[in-house]
Amino acid sequence: MNQKTLKIMEYERIKQALRGYLVSAAGQHELAELAPTADAKQLQIWLDESRDGADIYRLENGIPLPKLDDIRPHLHRLAMEAALNGLELAQISRVLWTTSSVVKFFRDLTEKDVSLRRLDRVVKELVTLPDVTRRLRTSLEGDGHITDEASPALRQIRQHIAQTEVAIRQTMDQYTRGKDAKYLSETIVTIRDERYVIPVRAEYKQRFGGIVHDQSASGQTLFIEPQAVVGLNNRLRQNQIDERHEEQRILAELTALLDPYQAEILRNSEILGHFDFINAKAKYAHQLKATEPKLSEDNQVNLRQARHPLIDPKKIVANDIAIGRDYKTIIVTGPNTGGKTITLKTLALVQLMGQSGLFIPANENSVIGIFDDIFADIGDEQSIEQSLSTFSGHMENIVAILRQADERSLIVVDELGAGTDPQEGAALAIAILDQMGTLGSYVMASTHYPELKAYGYNRPETINASMEFDGETLQPTYHLLIGIPGRSNALDIAARLGMPEQVVAAARGLTDQDSQDLNAMISDLTEQKRHADADAERLRQELAEADELHAQLKKQFDAYQHQKDQLMTDAKREANRLVDESRKRANQIISDLRKKQLAAGKSVVKEDELIAAQGALNALQQDSKLKKNRVLRREKAKLDFHKGDSVLVKSYGQVGVLMEQLDDQHWEVQLGILKMKIATNDLEKAQDPAKSAKQPRASVKRSGSSGMSATLDLRGHRYEEAMAEVDRYIDSALLAGYPSVTIIHGKGTGALRKGVTDYLKRNNRIKSFGFSPANAGGDGSTVVHFK
């Protein structure tokens, strides 16, 4: 793509806006390489990825990616068989951990039935290395610090260091807090030459013995390592050397662990950077309220309400711009400050964005072309160094464009032929446009020359256009009018600004009749276009109101139908209630009559007449059953629970027995050896195993193939996520029949450890719990025993 055009259109500012949304070095690298493409297949892939990114951003707020550093130098060092340091390994570890997270994220999207065009295939290229990732995450913190869990030897060495430091400080405290404190310059313990010392007044240096390591600038204070701690400091120093050696061994071991996977790690980093770039495109599109463009390989461009992306959205005026179907050249005429230049730039820059795989700032269903190149000649090209005038600078650009353009080129030219004699400039502009037409290029050019207004009428595949000008306020509206050339408003503006009437009249007299007739024609066309646009807008609004009214009426009609059915059902139920009351009353009366007849010894009313009357009363009963009652009864039966029923606990996929209803929303369910409180909406009636000869009895038992581990590792989880994981894990462990489990929460700040402890205290299914033995993690993990 023409580099000068990219500069003129400020394409780099678009990339700068995208850069603000990136969080990875690989994403920054991909953005730096971004450029428009003329490859239709590649462009469609880019747009499909942008569509996926926009959908994911709308549904899930984007693909979850943390800040990722550039790991290419680390992998280069790894290829040279150099041992990586802790920070380098930690940065690679973050890439591997993010890889696993992104794979899980897309797997969850699949389960949610989110439809993607392409990214679901791209994510399959990621290679997860769970064992390597776990080893790195266990051994390293985010800043590269090696954890105690990196090796048992390192943990033991650090325990010795901590114990020795405690012993040294206890000994030192005897000097800083005891009777010897008066011989010190300050009652503090400090470090010199990596050894613990105390500041002693120079005159008392023999008081403590030991080794002098330093003195103050004045010489009044000596930093002395007392004889009593020399042995402890020696031991500490040796432990520190052992620690450093063990850390170097661990780093070498971790480096060797990564060596076989260099290509996979690099590719993972590139794909994550690509996802980061897609996230950035989606967020930028959201900010611009941009939409996905459709592609036209035969370059029939149709931008609906296109907006310049670098202008304040509150100030920019949107325009419809179409080229390539009925015409390939647009001649925009009219006065300055009307918005011609911005309109030309909008067409070119929106096209460049679309051919870069970005969503464009235009309404939906906008169409862009696929041009091999886009050329622009916009702005003052005067160069003092080259001693070129403005006209010469423009001509050099035009000459270069004519040499390179072809039938798949888009050319935008501002003020074509300006900067020279008007008559020669107009003739030159016409000749240039003819040559561009011969090349078959798509052209949008602006000009002041009235001769080009006639050119737009006479040349095939060419149309006039102008920027709308309000005749009453004499202000531009910045709306593009296709099919209408621009008119001169100089005399009208002069009159409005107070120019004497006789001067304006004289000027009109000096203007030839053809120019006046042309301006009058243009004014009439403009007015007709304005009325047509107003009518079209009014009709659009009326159509929208009619559609809205139709939707409201349909909604109300549906509500009426539902209400009518409901009222009919209610009426039948009320009628049945009255019939039931009447039947009871009638039965009572008949019973009384029979008693009286028996007492009187004669029959006043025949028995068959009583039965007939009772049948007529029963016939008044109304059938109020709903449609599809079999389905409703079947669904209702599934929720008609009774004590002793066999039920399916949906969340566990296990069949149990109802023991007791605890409240309206919960039942106590026997699952194997466990009794659990289960929500009613989590239950569904199941076939009784005792009544089914074909189905074996359901049982809950622990098996080696269950896939559940007896250890839960919470390190690296956020607090809320970890607590939810603990709750699910304890339930699963109880269901699996484990007598005890281990929860690894690490030491860190202690927040996870405290959260786990508080949860276990509240859970009445826990028999006991406590920290692991010192050789098995100490207070970094908790062993839980169940009742």
Side-chain angles (χ1 to χ4, degrees):
M1 196 64 66
N2 187 272
Q3 294 300 311
K4 189 167 188 177
T5 299
L6 297 180
K7 182 178 180 182
I8 291 173
M9 295 303 155
E10 301 180 279
Y11 182 75
E12 189 60 35
R13 288 183 60 188
I14 300 294
K15 295 173 69 172
Q16 186 64 35
L18 285 166
R19 190 170 289 115
Y21 295 110
L22 295 170
V23 297
S24 70
Q28 297 279 0
H29 179 72
E30 182 167 345
L31 175 62
E33 300 295 323
L34 178 66
T37 182
D39 184 336
K41 184 176 180 181
Q42 181 62 60
L43 179 54
Q44 189 59 61
I45 290 174
W46 287 355
L47 289 174
D48 287 344
E49 291 177 343
S50 296
R51 175 79 269 167
D52 286 347
D55 289 343
I56 292 172
Y57 181 74
R58 174 174 53 85
L59 297 171
E60 302 288 341
N61 203 31
I63 304 170
L65 292 170
K67 184 179 182 301
L68 298 174
D69 298 285
D70 188 1
I71 65 170
R72 287 177 300 172
H74 314 339
L75 295 175
H76 181 66
R77 294 188 62 233
L78 184 60
M80 298 173 61
E81 299 183 357
L84 304 184
N85 60 41
L87 181 58
E88 291 170 334
L89 288 167
Q91 291 173 353
I92 293 176
S93 172
R94 191 176 297 113
V95 168
L96 292 176
W97 178 81
T98 304
T99 299
S100 300
S101 299
V102 169
V103 169
K104 181 180 182 300
F105 173 79
F106 277 92
R107 187 166 56 246
D108 293 342
L109 283 183
T110 302
E111 293 175 357
K112 295 177 183 177
D113 291 331
V114 176
S115 178
L116 299 175
R117 295 183 186 176
R118 178 169 175 80
L119 293 189
D120 52 348
R121 285 172 283 166
V122 176
V123 77
K124 292 179 181 178
E125 298 180 33
L126 289 172
V127 178
T128 57
L129 303 172
D131 293 336
V132 176
T133 304
R134 189 179 306 108
R135 179 78 169 92
L136 290 172
R137 295 278 291 178
T138 302
S139 303
L140 297 166
E141 295 179 354
D143 59 358
H145 175 70
I146 302 176
T147 66
D148 292 351
E149 287 75 19
S151 77
L154 181 62
R155 183 187 302 111
Q156 186 175 20
I157 291 171
R158 288 181 175 174
Q159 289 174 351
H160 291 165
I161 289 174
Q163 294 167 1
T164 305
E165 287 178 336
V166 169
I168 291 173
R169 289 193 175 276
Q170 289 175 347
T171 303
M172 289 295 202
D173 285 347
Q174 297 175 7
Y175 299 117
T176 58
R177 298 180 183 179
K179 60 182 180 180
D180 291 328
K182 60 186 176 181
Y183 303 113
L184 306 180
S185 300
E186 293 182 81
T187 55
I188 61 172
V189 177
T190 185
I191 295 176
R192 290 292 187 276
D193 298 333
E194 299 184 9
R195 299 174 77 86
Y196 286 92
V197 297
I198 53 177
V200 180
R201 296 179 185 176
E203 59 268 28
Y204 301 115
K205 65 179 180 179
Q206 301 299 332
R207 175 79 183 177
F208 300 93
I211 303 169
V212 177
H213 286 275
D214 198 3
Q215 67 177 11
S216 64
S218 64
Q220 298 299 312
T221 299
L222 301 177
F223 294 93
I224 297 176
E225 177 185 1
Q227 185 63 41
V229 297
V230 170
L232 291 173
N233 269 333
N234 288 339
R235 187 200 309 169
L236 177 62
R237 182 61 177 159
Q238 183 59 50
N239 287 335
Q240 291 171 341
I241 293 173
D242 293 342
E243 179 188 31
R244 186 160 56 250
H245 288 165
E246 179 62 15
E247 288 178 345
Q248 290 172 350
R249 187 197 66 79
I250 292 170
L251 293 176
E253 180 182 303
L254 296 177
T255 300
L257 192 64
L258 295 176
D259 186 63
Y261 307 107
Q262 295 180 45
E264 290 84 351
I265 295 171
L266 179 60
R267 182 58 181 152
N268 285 351
S269 175
E270 292 171 348
I271 294 174
L272 293 177
H274 186 57
F275 285 155
D276 183 28
F277 179 56
I278 291 171
N279 265 353
K281 290 196 292 184
K283 292 174 183 177
Y284 186 48
H286 178 75
Q287 176 197 329
L288 288 181
K289 297 181 180 178
T291 62
E292 179 186 5
K294 296 181 179 179
L295 299 182
S296 170
E297 295 193 30
D298 54 356
N299 292 331
Q300 293 188 14
V301 178
N302 182 19
L303 303 180
R304 302 176 64 250
Q305 294 296 289
R307 309 173 297 278
H308 196 287
L310 301 178
I311 298 179
D312 187 346
K314 297 179 181 177
K315 298 179 181 178
I316 189 64
V317 175
N319 277 302
D320 292 335
I321 306 174
I323 189 172
R325 180 178 178 183
D326 300 321
Y327 43 83
K328 295 177 69 174
T329 300
I330 303 175
I331 309 298
V332 187
T333 54
N336 284 329
T337 70
K340 297 193 302 295
T341 303
I342 290 299
T343 303
L344 265 63
K345 285 187 172 182
T346 299
L347 170 61
L349 186 53
V350 168
Q351 185 66 45
L352 289 170
M353 290 178 64
Q355 287 191 232
S356 300
L358 304 176
F359 279 16
I360 60 174
N363 287 0
E364 291 184 353
N365 297 316
S366 291
V367 182
I368 63 171
I370 307 175
F371 295 102
D372 290 344
D373 219 332
I374 299 175
F375 300 98
D377 180 63
I378 297 176
D380 189 354
E381 297 296 330
Q382 184 173 357
S383 172
I384 297 175
E385 294 81 0
Q386 298 178 13
S387 301
L388 296 175
S389 66
T390 300
F391 177 76
S392 299
H394 283 302
M395 285 304 102
E396 278 209 342
N397 285 343
I398 297 298
V399 169
I401 290 172
L402 293 176
R403 287 174 181 167
Q404 303 173 62
D406 57 23
E407 71 279 1
R408 295 195 63 82
S409 299
L410 173 65
I411 304 172
V412 291
V413 183
D414 193 26
E415 301 298 346
L416 181 60
T420 187
D421 176 76
Q423 188 173 359
E424 291 184 352
L428 185 59
I430 291 173
I432 291 171
L433 288 172
D434 280 341
Q435 179 61 25
M436 290 178 176
T438 301
L439 294 171
S441 300
Y442 298 74
V443 182
M444 189 173 189
S446 69
T447 180
H448 279 297
Y449 298 132
E451 290 84 352
L452 268 74
K453 299 174 185 178
Y455 178 89
Y457 282 109
N458 298 330
R459 293 300 192 276
E461 296 187 319
T462 303
I463 194 168
N464 281 312
S466 61
M467 304 308 296
E468 186 181 39
F469 199 85
D470 192 323
E472 295 182 0
T473 63
L474 298 181
Q475 295 292 327
T477 65
Y478 306 107
H479 284 116
L480 178 67
L481 302 176
I482 297 290
I484 300 178
R487 57 165 293 192
S488 174
N489 299 284
L491 299 181
D492 292 337
I493 294 174
R496 178 63 64 91
L497 294 177
M499 184 67 69
E501 185 177 345
Q502 62 272 21
V503 176
V504 176
R508 293 189 191 279
L510 294 174
T511 306
D512 61 63
Q513 189 60 41
D514 289 343
S515 296
Q516 294 185 35
D517 291 344
L518 180 60
N519 278 336
M521 179 191 70
I522 293 172
S523 178
D524 184 54
L525 285 173
T526 303
E527 189 63 25
Q528 291 181 27
K529 180 73 163 54
R530 183 182 293 112
H531 284 308
D533 289 344
D535 290 343
E537 181 61 28
R538 177 176 55 80
L539 290 173
R540 277 195 296 268
Q541 291 180 356
E542 289 178 357
L543 179 60
E545 291 173 358
D547 289 341
E548 183 179 359
L549 179 60
H550 178 269
Q552 291 177 354
L553 288 174
K554 186 177 185 305
K555 182 178 180 181
Q556 291 176 2
F557 178 76
D558 291 342
Y560 161 75
Q561 288 290 86
H562 177 73
Q563 184 181 19
K564 185 182 75 170
D565 293 342
Q566 186 64 40
L567 288 173
M568 183 64 70
T569 301
D570 292 344
K572 288 180 179 180
R573 287 173 178 168
E574 179 64 17
N576 290 340
R577 185 185 65 79
L578 294 175
V579 170
D580 287 341
E581 292 180 357
S582 299
R583 183 188 297 113
K584 291 178 182 177
R585 180 61 179 160
N587 288 338
Q588 183 63 42
I589 293 172
I590 291 171
S591 177
D592 292 343
L593 285 174
R594 285 172 175 164
K595 290 178 181 178
K596 290 179 180 179
Q597 286 181 157
L598 291 174
K602 61 179 180 178
S603 176
V604 179
V605 182
K606 296 180 180 180
E607 187 67 22
D608 60 332
E609 293 176 351
L610 290 176
I611 295 174
Q614 191 174 31
L617 186 62
N618 290 338
L620 295 177
Q621 184 78 26
Q622 296 294 317
D623 184 8
S624 62
K625 295 180 181 179
L626 299 176
K627 296 179 180 179
K628 300 181 180 179
N629 53 355
R630 292 181 180 177
V631 176
L632 294 175
R633 285 199 302 269
R634 186 163 56 249
E635 290 301 318
K636 185 176 180 181
K638 290 183 179 180
L639 301 177
D640 187 17
F641 299 127
H642 300 282
K643 184 176 180 180
D645 285 351
S646 294
V647 292
L648 172 67
V649 182
K650 292 182 281 187
S651 60
Y652 292 105
Q654 298 286 341
V655 175
V657 179
L658 295 179
M659 304 302 293
E660 182 181 357
Q661 185 171 9
L662 303 177
D663 54 47
D664 291 341
Q665 302 297 327
H666 294 86
W667 279 83
E668 183 182 69
V669 181
Q670 180 82 39
L671 287 173
I673 62 172
L674 299 177
K675 289 184 179 180
M676 302 182 68
K677 179 181 179 182
I678 305 295
T680 304
N681 58 12
D682 195 21
L683 299 174
E684 182 178 299
K685 268 199 173 181
Q687 186 175 1
D688 190 346
K691 297 178 182 180
S692 175
K694 295 183 180 180
Q695 294 183 351
R697 179 176 300 275
S699 62
V700 179
K701 63 180 181 178
R702 177 183 176 185
S703 66
S705 60
S706 64
M708 179 182 171
S709 173
T711 303
L712 174 63
D713 193 345
L714 299 176
R715 290 172 297 182
H717 289 60
R718 294 193 301 272
Y719 182 87
E720 294 81 6
E721 179 186 2
M723 292 301 101
E725 185 68 17
V726 169
D727 188 52
R728 289 193 297 269
Y729 179 77
I730 292 297
D731 286 343
S732 299
L734 284 166
L735 190 60
Y738 283 107
S740 65
V741 293
T742 301
I743 301 176
I744 303 174
H745 41 67
K747 299 179 180 178
T749 62
L752 277 180
R753 178 175 55 200
K754 184 177 184 302
V756 170
T757 300
D758 293 341
Y759 170 86
L760 296 175
K761 287 179 179 178
R762 296 193 305 269
N763 196 321
N764 57 12
R765 292 173 293 177
I766 305 303
K767 179 179 181 181
S768 63
F769 63 93
F771 294 136
S772 300
N775 61 353
D779 58 357
S781 61
T782 299
V783 179
V784 183
H785 298 277
F786 299 115
K787 292 181 178 179

